[in-house]
Amino acid sequence: MNSVQYILGIESTAHTFGCGIASSEGRILSNIKSEYVPTSGGIHPREASQHHASKAAATISGALEEAGLRLSDIAAVAFSAGPGLGPCLRTGATVARTLSLVRKCPLVPVNHCIAHIEIGRLATGEDDPLVVYVSGGNTIISAYAGGKYRVFGETLDIALGNCLDTFARHLGLSHPGVPKLEQLADEGRRFIPLPYVVKGQDVSYSGLLTMASRLAGECDRSDLSLSLLEVAYGMVAEVAERAIAHTEKSALLLTGGVARSKRLQRALSFVCSDHSARFHVVPPDLAGDNGGMIAWTGYLALKEGLTVPVESSYVNPNWRLDEVEVPWRR
Amino acid sequence: MAEMRLFKKGAEAELYLTDWMGLRAILKRRIKKGYRNPDLDSYVRGTRTSNEAKLLSEARRLGVPTPVVYSVDKRNCEILMSYIDAQPLKRFVGGMDPEGLALTFSRVGEMVGRLHKGGIVHGDLTTSNIIPYSGLLYLIDFGLGEHTSDVESRGVDIHLMRRALESSHHEVSSAAYLSFIDGYTRVMGSLSEPVLKRVDAIRRRGRYVDVSHRKGE
């Protein structure tokens, strides 16, 4: 009974198809991903799902090989069931169902946002942090209370990463745009006023994106990048500060793809030192979407018996973080 | 200057207990934030200070109890206002019986309805910003408020209240929210319908909605 279990996790909510393997001891044995990069513009859901379908087999065998395991060693298959883009989610779910049927092992649906939180908790060892989860698709301030992750703040329109990526494309920067935006910002000198929109504990980025894009032809690119990042990150830092004051948590965890931003890390560590809270960032290789976080969260859910029969293993593109029971935190 | 005692250190501001012409008063000072660019920081603190001072007075004219503003110092981002000697609503919600809860939140709803009908949104509705005192409910912290009658801004206001209930009072959030909506609708009448529809739409947003895909919504 005490032998080690291996869980295979499939991630496919947006541009990344990932497969990772986690052990019941909390080790990520492998974490392979393949990213869909649009030839122009933003993510196209159907093209992304076609990319995922074409890369699935190689990604999964790569993850098994790197972990030194065979499919028969896998105790359960976990998959991202939402939130995300419908066509992408369905591709990942189809792959996961197939593996579960072939292997005759349990199938575990995982909420993508919760996986970003759980992998951060695992990697940093911080048990009960206030979570700042920022990525291309989500901007959420959350903390655990009474059986669920509660949402204390979120975006009212587009996500932080979406705002930054879209603006980077507008400047003609190639993918990935955010690091290049940050480099430009380091050379910026003059601050250009841009819409700073905080409502309660929520933020709004659409006005900021529109205004910055409009000014792109008239202003210095470095100044504009500096101003956009300062405003965008300042808003997150402010709502994080409000949430940490309100929840009185003693630690903050920064997770999600945008967690790699040094400038954002700096802003949030400022907030933490003002409130005597510990500051943690998810390691860079676990920041973006990945299968390892799905595998690990799948293990936590499997322990609680949260499996689903293949015939009712639906995806939910609008699955809110705060709808999910997390009995492993009780 | 009268003697000042630090009374509360919030996320955004420090509150000092002091007096003004022999009356007990609160000095609210918005403090500098090291995580923001200095130019951005003084802009944010300055506009919120003048905004709050204006809206506190205007809200009272609409029949929403608020502290009385004695003076504003825009340069130092300070507001001097009357002191309400009571705890915020947040502290009482847990101990309320169902009738008390329903009555209180329907009154909160009516209050927000009066505000919205008068062309103001609060921008930060939480149970920490409502103070029950001498039979009235006082509304404070108008720094994020606006003059607007937009369905979107009103919807965001209600959404914030709903989420504050869910995150801080999850045991009673549904009952409290229903009573809140009751009171709000009583005051707003048919104007509440598009707002409540928008509240549901706002809730579904923010996740993988690319700007280009949203235009058709």
Side-chain angles (χ1 to χ4, degrees), chain B residues 10-65:
Chain B
E12 195 190 12
E14 290 170 345
L15 300 182
Y16 294 89
L17 201 54
T18 179
D19 75 65
W20 181 83
M21 305 278 173
L23 297 168
R24 284 221 281 176
I26 284 282
L27 182 86
K28 177 172 182 173
R29 176 184 294 152
R30 286 190 157 78
I31 43 185
K32 285 195 175 112
K33 292 295 170 188
Y35 58 78
R36 271 194 299 240
N37 171 291
D39 293 344
L40 172 61
D41 189 58
S42 41
Y43 171 78
V44 168
R45 289 186 297 125
T47 48
R48 285 187 188 168
T49 302
S50 49
N51 209 23
E52 171 158 33
K54 264 185 281 180
L55 293 179
L56 278 169
S57 308
E58 293 179 18
R60 192 155 0 86
R61 265 174 250 144
L62 297 171
V64 173

Short mmCIF file of all heavy atoms in Angstrom, two decimals, chain B residues 10-65:
data_model
loop_
_atom_site.label_atom_id
_atom_site.label_comp_id
_atom_site.label_asym_id
_atom_site.label_seq_id
_atom_site.Cartn_x
_atom_site.Cartn_y
_atom_site.Cartn_z
N GLY B 10 -4.04 50.81 7.18
CA GLY B 10 -4.66 49.98 6.15
C GLY B 10 -3.68 49.71 5.03
O GLY B 10 -2.51 50.09 5.12
N ALA B 11 -4.15 49.05 3.98
CA ALA B 11 -3.28 48.76 2.84
C ALA B 11 -2.90 50.05 2.12
O ALA B 11 -1.79 50.21 1.65
CB ALA B 11 -3.97 47.81 1.88
N GLU B 12 -3.84 50.99 2.08
CA GLU B 12 -3.65 52.16 1.25
C GLU B 12 -3.32 53.40 2.06
O GLU B 12 -2.62 54.29 1.60
CB GLU B 12 -4.95 52.40 0.46
CG GLU B 12 -4.78 53.34 -0.69
CD GLU B 12 -6.13 53.73 -1.29
OE1 GLU B 12 -7.18 53.47 -0.69
OE2 GLU B 12 -6.10 54.33 -2.36
N ALA B 13 -3.88 53.48 3.25
CA ALA B 13 -3.80 54.72 4.02
C ALA B 13 -3.55 54.46 5.49
O ALA B 13 -3.81 53.36 5.99
CB ALA B 13 -5.09 55.51 3.84
N GLU B 14 -3.05 55.51 6.15
CA GLU B 14 -2.95 55.48 7.61
C GLU B 14 -4.05 56.36 8.16
O GLU B 14 -4.32 57.44 7.63
CB GLU B 14 -1.59 56.03 8.05
CG GLU B 14 -0.45 55.11 7.70
CD GLU B 14 0.93 55.74 7.90
OE1 GLU B 14 1.01 56.98 8.05
OE2 GLU B 14 1.90 55.00 7.89
N LEU B 15 -4.70 55.89 9.24
CA LEU B 15 -5.75 56.68 9.86
C LEU B 15 -5.26 57.15 11.22
O LEU B 15 -4.77 56.35 12.02
CB LEU B 15 -7.02 55.84 10.04
CG LEU B 15 -7.67 55.26 8.79
CD1 LEU B 15 -8.93 54.50 9.17
CD2 LEU B 15 -8.00 56.36 7.79
N TYR B 16 -5.38 58.46 11.47
CA TYR B 16 -5.00 59.02 12.76
C TYR B 16 -6.22 59.56 13.46
O TYR B 16 -7.07 60.19 12.82
CB TYR B 16 -3.99 60.15 12.57
CG TYR B 16 -2.66 59.68 12.03
CD1 TYR B 16 -2.44 59.62 10.65
CD2 TYR B 16 -1.64 59.30 12.89
CE1 TYR B 16 -1.23 59.18 10.14
CE2 TYR B 16 -0.42 58.86 12.39
CZ TYR B 16 -0.22 58.80 11.01
OH TYR B 16 0.98 58.37 10.52
N LEU B 17 -6.30 59.31 14.76
CA LEU B 17 -7.37 59.87 15.56
C LEU B 17 -6.89 61.23 16.06
O LEU B 17 -5.81 61.35 16.62
CB LEU B 17 -7.64 58.93 16.73
CG LEU B 17 -8.99 59.02 17.42
CD1 LEU B 17 -10.13 58.91 16.41
CD2 LEU B 17 -9.10 57.91 18.45
N THR B 18 -7.70 62.26 15.84
CA THR B 18 -7.29 63.60 16.24
C THR B 18 -8.55 64.39 16.59
O THR B 18 -9.61 63.79 16.80
CB THR B 18 -6.47 64.25 15.11
OG1 THR B 18 -6.10 65.56 15.50
CG2 THR B 18 -7.24 64.31 13.80
N ASP B 19 -8.44 65.71 16.72
CA ASP B 19 -9.69 66.45 16.86
C ASP B 19 -9.69 67.71 16.02
O ASP B 19 -8.65 68.23 15.62
CB ASP B 19 -10.06 66.69 18.34
CG ASP B 19 -9.23 67.77 18.97
OD1 ASP B 19 -9.34 68.94 18.53
OD2 ASP B 19 -8.44 67.44 19.87
N TRP B 20 -10.89 68.14 15.72
CA TRP B 20 -11.09 69.33 14.90
C TRP B 20 -12.15 70.18 15.58
O TRP B 20 -13.28 69.72 15.75
CB TRP B 20 -11.53 68.91 13.51
CG TRP B 20 -11.74 70.07 12.58
CD1 TRP B 20 -10.80 70.73 11.86
CD2 TRP B 20 -13.00 70.68 12.25
NE1 TRP B 20 -11.38 71.72 11.12
CE2 TRP B 20 -12.73 71.72 11.34
CE3 TRP B 20 -14.32 70.45 12.66
CZ2 TRP B 20 -13.74 72.53 10.81
CZ3 TRP B 20 -15.32 71.25 12.14
CH2 TRP B 20 -15.02 72.28 11.21
N MET B 21 -11.76 71.36 16.03
CA MET B 21 -12.69 72.27 16.71
C MET B 21 -13.40 71.58 17.87
O MET B 21 -14.60 71.73 18.05
CB MET B 21 -13.75 72.80 15.73
CG MET B 21 -13.20 73.46 14.50
SD MET B 21 -12.75 75.15 14.87
CE MET B 21 -11.95 75.62 13.35
N GLY B 22 -12.65 70.74 18.58
CA GLY B 22 -13.23 70.07 19.72
C GLY B 22 -14.04 68.83 19.38
O GLY B 22 -14.58 68.16 20.25
N LEU B 23 -14.11 68.48 18.09
CA LEU B 23 -14.82 67.26 17.70
C LEU B 23 -13.80 66.17 17.40
O LEU B 23 -12.72 66.46 16.88
CB LEU B 23 -15.65 67.51 16.44
CG LEU B 23 -16.76 68.54 16.54
CD1 LEU B 23 -17.28 68.89 15.14
CD2 LEU B 23 -17.89 68.01 17.41
N ARG B 24 -14.16 64.96 17.73
CA ARG B 24 -13.25 63.87 17.39
C ARG B 24 -13.21 63.69 15.88
O ARG B 24 -14.26 63.68 15.22
CB ARG B 24 -13.70 62.58 18.08
CG ARG B 24 -13.34 62.62 19.57
CD ARG B 24 -12.84 61.30 20.04
NE ARG B 24 -13.95 60.37 20.26
CZ ARG B 24 -13.74 59.12 20.61
NH1 ARG B 24 -12.52 58.64 20.73
NH2 ARG B 24 -14.78 58.33 20.83
N ALA B 25 -12.02 63.54 15.36
CA ALA B 25 -11.89 63.48 13.90
C ALA B 25 -10.87 62.42 13.50
O ALA B 25 -10.05 61.97 14.30
CB ALA B 25 -11.47 64.83 13.36
N ILE B 26 -10.98 62.01 12.22
CA ILE B 26 -10.04 61.06 11.64
C ILE B 26 -9.26 61.77 10.55
O ILE B 26 -9.84 62.45 9.71
CB ILE B 26 -10.80 59.87 11.00
CG1 ILE B 26 -11.34 58.92 12.06
CG2 ILE B 26 -9.95 59.13 10.00
CD1 ILE B 26 -10.30 57.99 12.62
N LEU B 27 -7.94 61.61 10.60
CA LEU B 27 -7.13 62.09 9.49
C LEU B 27 -6.72 60.87 8.66
O LEU B 27 -6.09 59.95 9.18
CB LEU B 27 -5.87 62.81 9.99
CG LEU B 27 -5.03 63.38 8.86
CD1 LEU B 27 -5.52 64.77 8.47
CD2 LEU B 27 -3.56 63.45 9.24
N LYS B 28 -7.13 60.87 7.39
CA LYS B 28 -6.76 59.75 6.52
C LYS B 28 -5.65 60.22 5.60
O LYS B 28 -5.82 61.18 4.85
CB LYS B 28 -7.99 59.33 5.70
CG LYS B 28 -7.70 58.23 4.71
CD LYS B 28 -8.99 57.72 4.08
CE LYS B 28 -8.71 56.58 3.11
NZ LYS B 28 -9.94 55.97 2.62
N ARG B 29 -4.52 59.56 5.69
CA ARG B 29 -3.37 59.95 4.88
C ARG B 29 -3.00 58.80 3.95
O ARG B 29 -2.67 57.71 4.40
CB ARG B 29 -2.19 60.31 5.78
CG ARG B 29 -0.91 60.64 5.01
CD ARG B 29 0.24 60.89 5.95
NE ARG B 29 0.03 62.10 6.74
CZ ARG B 29 0.56 62.29 7.95
NH1 ARG B 29 1.30 61.35 8.51
NH2 ARG B 29 0.35 63.41 8.60
N ARG B 30 -3.06 59.06 2.66
CA ARG B 30 -2.65 58.03 1.68
C ARG B 30 -1.14 58.01 1.59
O ARG B 30 -0.53 59.04 1.27
CB ARG B 30 -3.28 58.30 0.31
CG ARG B 30 -4.75 57.98 0.28
CD ARG B 30 -5.32 58.03 -1.12
NE ARG B 30 -6.54 57.22 -1.19
CZ ARG B 30 -7.72 57.62 -0.75
NH1 ARG B 30 -7.86 58.80 -0.21
NH2 ARG B 30 -8.77 56.81 -0.85
N ILE B 31 -0.56 56.86 1.88
CA ILE B 31 0.90 56.80 2.00
C ILE B 31 1.57 56.42 0.67
O ILE B 31 0.98 55.75 -0.18
CB ILE B 31 1.32 55.81 3.11
CG1 ILE B 31 0.48 54.54 3.04
CG2 ILE B 31 1.21 56.47 4.46
CD1 ILE B 31 0.73 53.57 4.17
N LYS B 32 2.81 56.85 0.51
CA LYS B 32 3.61 56.54 -0.68
C LYS B 32 3.83 55.04 -0.78
O LYS B 32 4.05 54.38 0.22
CB LYS B 32 4.97 57.23 -0.58
CG LYS B 32 4.93 58.71 -0.83
CD LYS B 32 6.36 59.23 -1.09
CE LYS B 32 6.31 60.69 -1.46
NZ LYS B 32 6.88 61.61 -0.49
N LYS B 33 3.78 54.55 -2.00
CA LYS B 33 4.00 53.11 -2.23
C LYS B 33 5.29 52.90 -3.00
O LYS B 33 5.42 53.37 -4.14
CB LYS B 33 2.82 52.53 -3.02
CG LYS B 33 1.52 52.51 -2.23
CD LYS B 33 1.64 51.59 -1.04
CE LYS B 33 0.46 51.72 -0.11
NZ LYS B 33 0.66 50.98 1.12
N GLY B 34 6.21 52.17 -2.37
CA GLY B 34 7.51 51.93 -3.00
C GLY B 34 7.42 51.05 -4.24
O GLY B 34 8.33 51.06 -5.06
N TYR B 35 6.34 50.30 -4.40
CA TYR B 35 6.26 49.39 -5.54
C TYR B 35 5.76 50.09 -6.80
O TYR B 35 5.69 49.49 -7.86
CB TYR B 35 5.38 48.18 -5.22
CG TYR B 35 3.96 48.50 -4.81
CD1 TYR B 35 3.00 48.83 -5.76
CD2 TYR B 35 3.58 48.45 -3.48
CE1 TYR B 35 1.70 49.12 -5.38
CE2 TYR B 35 2.28 48.74 -3.08
CZ TYR B 35 1.35 49.08 -4.04
OH TYR B 35 0.07 49.37 -3.67
N ARG B 36 5.35 51.37 -6.67
CA ARG B 36 4.85 52.09 -7.84
C ARG B 36 5.86 53.12 -8.27
O ARG B 36 6.55 53.72 -7.44
CB ARG B 36 3.54 52.81 -7.50
CG ARG B 36 2.31 51.97 -7.72
CD ARG B 36 1.03 52.80 -7.71
NE ARG B 36 0.79 53.50 -6.47
CZ ARG B 36 -0.28 53.32 -5.69
NH1 ARG B 36 -1.22 52.47 -6.05
NH2 ARG B 36 -0.44 54.01 -4.58
N ASN B 37 5.93 53.37 -9.55
CA ASN B 37 6.71 54.46 -10.09
C ASN B 37 6.29 55.76 -9.37
O ASN B 37 5.10 56.00 -9.18
CB ASN B 37 6.40 54.52 -11.60
CG ASN B 37 6.97 55.74 -12.26
OD1 ASN B 37 6.52 56.85 -12.01
ND2 ASN B 37 7.95 55.53 -13.11
N PRO B 38 7.26 56.61 -8.94
CA PRO B 38 6.92 57.80 -8.13
C PRO B 38 5.91 58.73 -8.79
O PRO B 38 5.02 59.25 -8.12
CB PRO B 38 8.27 58.51 -7.95
CG PRO B 38 9.31 57.48 -8.23
CD PRO B 38 8.72 56.47 -9.13
N ASP B 39 6.02 58.94 -10.10
CA ASP B 39 5.06 59.82 -10.79
C ASP B 39 3.66 59.20 -10.75
O ASP B 39 2.67 59.88 -10.49
CB ASP B 39 5.45 60.00 -12.26
CG ASP B 39 6.75 60.77 -12.41
OD1 ASP B 39 7.16 61.40 -11.41
OD2 ASP B 39 7.34 60.73 -13.49
N LEU B 40 3.61 57.91 -11.03
CA LEU B 40 2.33 57.20 -11.01
C LEU B 40 1.75 57.23 -9.61
O LEU B 40 0.56 57.48 -9.41
CB LEU B 40 2.56 55.75 -11.47
CG LEU B 40 1.39 54.78 -11.35
CD1 LEU B 40 0.22 55.24 -12.20
CD2 LEU B 40 1.82 53.37 -11.77
N ASP B 41 2.62 57.03 -8.63
CA ASP B 41 2.18 56.97 -7.24
C ASP B 41 1.54 58.29 -6.80
O ASP B 41 0.47 58.29 -6.20
CB ASP B 41 3.36 56.62 -6.35
CG ASP B 41 2.94 56.32 -4.92
OD1 ASP B 41 2.12 55.39 -4.76
OD2 ASP B 41 3.38 57.02 -4.01
N SER B 42 2.18 59.42 -7.12
CA SER B 42 1.58 60.68 -6.64
C SER B 42 0.30 60.98 -7.41
O SER B 42 -0.64 61.54 -6.84
CB SER B 42 2.56 61.85 -6.68
OG SER B 42 3.32 61.81 -7.83
N TYR B 43 0.23 60.57 -8.67
CA TYR B 43 -1.01 60.77 -9.42
C TYR B 43 -2.16 59.96 -8.81
O TYR B 43 -3.24 60.48 -8.56
CB TYR B 43 -0.79 60.36 -10.89
CG TYR B 43 -2.05 60.33 -11.69
CD1 TYR B 43 -2.62 61.52 -12.17
CD2 TYR B 43 -2.70 59.13 -11.95
CE1 TYR B 43 -3.80 61.50 -12.88
CE2 TYR B 43 -3.89 59.11 -12.66
CZ TYR B 43 -4.43 60.29 -13.13
OH TYR B 43 -5.60 60.27 -13.83
N VAL B 44 -1.89 58.69 -8.54
CA VAL B 44 -2.94 57.81 -7.99
C VAL B 44 -3.41 58.33 -6.64
O VAL B 44 -4.62 58.47 -6.39
CB VAL B 44 -2.42 56.36 -7.85
CG1 VAL B 44 -3.37 55.50 -7.03
CG2 VAL B 44 -2.21 55.72 -9.22
N ARG B 45 -2.47 58.68 -5.77
CA ARG B 45 -2.87 59.11 -4.42
C ARG B 45 -3.61 60.45 -4.46
O ARG B 45 -4.59 60.65 -3.76
CB ARG B 45 -1.65 59.20 -3.52
CG ARG B 45 -1.08 57.81 -3.19
CD ARG B 45 0.05 57.88 -2.19
NE ARG B 45 1.20 58.62 -2.71
CZ ARG B 45 1.75 59.67 -2.11
NH1 ARG B 45 1.26 60.11 -0.96
NH2 ARG B 45 2.78 60.28 -2.64
N GLY B 46 -3.15 61.35 -5.33
CA GLY B 46 -3.78 62.67 -5.43
C GLY B 46 -5.21 62.59 -5.94
O GLY B 46 -6.13 63.16 -5.35
N THR B 47 -5.41 61.85 -7.03
CA THR B 47 -6.77 61.78 -7.60
C THR B 47 -7.71 61.05 -6.64
O THR B 47 -8.87 61.44 -6.51
CB THR B 47 -6.80 61.06 -8.95
OG1 THR B 47 -6.07 59.85 -8.84
CG2 THR B 47 -6.19 61.88 -10.05
N ARG B 48 -7.23 60.04 -5.97
CA ARG B 48 -8.12 59.32 -5.05
C ARG B 48 -8.52 60.20 -3.87
O ARG B 48 -9.66 60.12 -3.41
CB ARG B 48 -7.46 58.04 -4.56
CG ARG B 48 -7.48 56.99 -5.63
CD ARG B 48 -6.99 55.68 -5.13
NE ARG B 48 -6.85 54.76 -6.24
CZ ARG B 48 -6.22 53.60 -6.15
NH1 ARG B 48 -5.68 53.24 -5.00
NH2 ARG B 48 -6.13 52.81 -7.19
N THR B 49 -7.60 61.02 -3.41
CA THR B 49 -7.91 61.88 -2.27
C THR B 49 -9.00 62.89 -2.64
O THR B 49 -10.00 63.02 -1.92
CB THR B 49 -6.64 62.63 -1.80
OG1 THR B 49 -5.65 61.65 -1.46
CG2 THR B 49 -6.92 63.50 -0.59
N SER B 50 -8.84 63.57 -3.76
CA SER B 50 -9.85 64.59 -4.09
C SER B 50 -11.17 63.92 -4.46
O SER B 50 -12.25 64.40 -4.12
CB SER B 50 -9.36 65.51 -5.21
OG SER B 50 -8.86 64.77 -6.27
N ASN B 51 -11.07 62.79 -5.14
CA ASN B 51 -12.25 62.00 -5.49
C ASN B 51 -13.06 61.62 -4.25
O ASN B 51 -14.27 61.81 -4.18
CB ASN B 51 -11.74 60.72 -6.15
CG ASN B 51 -12.70 60.17 -7.14
OD1 ASN B 51 -13.53 60.90 -7.66
ND2 ASN B 51 -12.59 58.87 -7.40
N GLU B 52 -12.35 61.09 -3.29
CA GLU B 52 -13.01 60.62 -2.08
C GLU B 52 -13.70 61.77 -1.34
O GLU B 52 -14.85 61.65 -0.91
CB GLU B 52 -12.00 59.94 -1.16
CG GLU B 52 -12.58 59.62 0.21
CD GLU B 52 -11.84 58.52 0.94
OE1 GLU B 52 -10.62 58.41 0.77
OE2 GLU B 52 -12.52 57.78 1.68
N ALA B 53 -12.99 62.90 -1.22
CA ALA B 53 -13.55 64.03 -0.48
C ALA B 53 -14.85 64.50 -1.14
O ALA B 53 -15.85 64.74 -0.48
CB ALA B 53 -12.53 65.16 -0.43
N LYS B 54 -14.83 64.60 -2.46
CA LYS B 54 -16.03 65.05 -3.19
C LYS B 54 -17.18 64.06 -3.01
O LYS B 54 -18.30 64.44 -2.69
CB LYS B 54 -15.71 65.16 -4.69
CG LYS B 54 -15.34 66.56 -5.13
CD LYS B 54 -15.17 66.61 -6.64
CE LYS B 54 -13.82 66.05 -7.04
NZ LYS B 54 -13.52 66.02 -8.45
N LEU B 55 -16.89 62.78 -3.24
CA LEU B 55 -17.96 61.78 -3.24
C LEU B 55 -18.56 61.56 -1.85
O LEU B 55 -19.75 61.26 -1.73
CB LEU B 55 -17.46 60.46 -3.82
CG LEU B 55 -17.11 60.52 -5.32
CD1 LEU B 55 -16.59 59.17 -5.80
CD2 LEU B 55 -18.31 60.93 -6.16
N LEU B 56 -17.75 61.73 -0.80
CA LEU B 56 -18.28 61.58 0.56
C LEU B 56 -19.43 62.57 0.78
O LEU B 56 -20.48 62.23 1.32
CB LEU B 56 -17.18 61.84 1.60
CG LEU B 56 -16.23 60.67 1.93
CD1 LEU B 56 -15.06 61.17 2.76
CD2 LEU B 56 -16.95 59.56 2.67
N SER B 57 -19.21 63.81 0.34
CA SER B 57 -20.23 64.84 0.53
C SER B 57 -21.43 64.60 -0.38
O SER B 57 -22.58 64.74 0.03
CB SER B 57 -19.65 66.22 0.25
OG SER B 57 -18.48 66.38 1.00
N GLU B 58 -21.14 64.25 -1.63
CA GLU B 58 -22.25 64.05 -2.58
C GLU B 58 -23.12 62.87 -2.19
O GLU B 58 -24.34 62.90 -2.36
CB GLU B 58 -21.69 63.85 -3.99
CG GLU B 58 -21.03 65.12 -4.50
CD GLU B 58 -20.45 64.94 -5.89
OE1 GLU B 58 -20.84 63.97 -6.58
OE2 GLU B 58 -19.61 65.76 -6.26
N ALA B 59 -22.49 61.82 -1.68
CA ALA B 59 -23.26 60.65 -1.29
C ALA B 59 -24.23 61.01 -0.17
O ALA B 59 -25.38 60.57 -0.16
CB ALA B 59 -22.32 59.53 -0.83
N ARG B 60 -23.77 61.82 0.78
CA ARG B 60 -24.65 62.20 1.88
C ARG B 60 -25.86 62.96 1.37
O ARG B 60 -26.97 62.79 1.85
CB ARG B 60 -23.88 63.01 2.94
CG ARG B 60 -24.68 63.17 4.23
CD ARG B 60 -23.84 63.41 5.48
NE ARG B 60 -22.42 63.45 5.22
CZ ARG B 60 -21.76 64.54 4.84
NH1 ARG B 60 -22.41 65.69 4.68
NH2 ARG B 60 -20.47 64.49 4.62
N ARG B 61 -25.66 63.79 0.37
CA ARG B 61 -26.79 64.52 -0.21
C ARG B 61 -27.81 63.57 -0.84
O ARG B 61 -28.97 63.91 -1.01
CB ARG B 61 -26.29 65.52 -1.26
CG ARG B 61 -26.10 66.90 -0.66
CD ARG B 61 -25.47 67.85 -1.65
NE ARG B 61 -24.10 68.15 -1.25
CZ ARG B 61 -23.09 68.33 -2.07
NH1 ARG B 61 -23.26 68.22 -3.38
NH2 ARG B 61 -21.90 68.59 -1.61
N LEU B 62 -27.35 62.39 -1.23
CA LEU B 62 -28.28 61.40 -1.81
C LEU B 62 -28.94 60.55 -0.72
O LEU B 62 -29.65 59.59 -1.02
CB LEU B 62 -27.52 60.47 -2.77
CG LEU B 62 -26.90 61.12 -4.00
CD1 LEU B 62 -26.01 60.13 -4.74
CD2 LEU B 62 -28.00 61.64 -4.93
N GLY B 63 -28.66 60.86 0.52
CA GLY B 63 -29.29 60.11 1.61
C GLY B 63 -28.50 58.90 2.04
O GLY B 63 -29.03 57.97 2.65
N VAL B 64 -27.21 58.88 1.71
CA VAL B 64 -26.34 57.78 2.16
C VAL B 64 -25.44 58.33 3.27
O VAL B 64 -24.64 59.23 3.03
CB VAL B 64 -25.46 57.26 1.00
CG1 VAL B 64 -24.45 56.24 1.49
CG2 VAL B 64 -26.34 56.63 -0.08
N PRO B 65 -25.59 57.82 4.50
CA PRO B 65 -24.76 58.34 5.60
C PRO B 65 -23.27 58.15 5.33
O PRO B 65 -22.83 57.05 4.98
CB PRO B 65 -25.21 57.50 6.80
CG PRO B 65 -26.56 56.98 6.44
CD PRO B 65 -26.53 56.78 4.95
#
